[in-house]
Amino acid sequence: QVQLLESGGGLVQAGGSLRLSCAASGSFFRPNVMGWYRQSPGKQRELVASISTEGSTNYGDSVKGRFTISRDNAKNTVYLQMNSLKPDDTAVYYCNARRTTRPEYDYWGQGTQVTVSS
């Protein structure tokens, strides 16, 4: 079982910055991929950014150049630095930890609200 503890959400003005953190704990094998997804009312959950154990990253088109994902493998923690925030970034942000090799798993955090005011 893997528990994901998210922190760092909140209210910020447009153009501001926030940093999200997600720490994975429990008795588990290291996730291959950790990432962040977001969902706003009436929309599907979408990828924000993901990072592999080796450091390979993948970003959603709408956040490229503004958000940076990083990972501390020793702490099983993933970070999302969000700069130049826009009102369209307002959503619940979910942490994801996924292992694609045995033992496979796919866990989600509870979500943290990010609200960007104009």
Side-chain angles (χ1 to χ4, degrees), residues 34-101:
M34 296 187 74
W36 292 92
Y37 290 73
R38 68 186 182 187
Q39 188 169 20
S40 53
K43 295 185 178 180
Q44 290 187 334
R45 189 172 295 189
E46 64 175 357
L47 171 71
V48 178
S50 64
I51 185 167
S52 70
T53 306
E54 296 76 22
S56 295
T57 58
N58 187 31
Y59 292 92
D61 288 341
S62 62
V63 307
K64 287 179 180 177
R66 299 187 298 122
F67 292 8
T68 302
I69 191 169
S70 59
R71 178 174 178 171
D72 185 333
N73 288 329
K75 296 181 179 179
N76 288 308
T77 299
V78 63
Y79 307 95
L80 184 69
Q81 179 65 43
M82 305 185 292
N83 298 329
S84 302
L85 283 160
K86 305 174 181 179
D88 284 348
D89 294 319
T90 296
V92 177
Y93 284 68
Y94 296 91
C95 179
N96 175 257
R98 187 167 72 252
R99 183 174 171 86
T100 57
T101 54

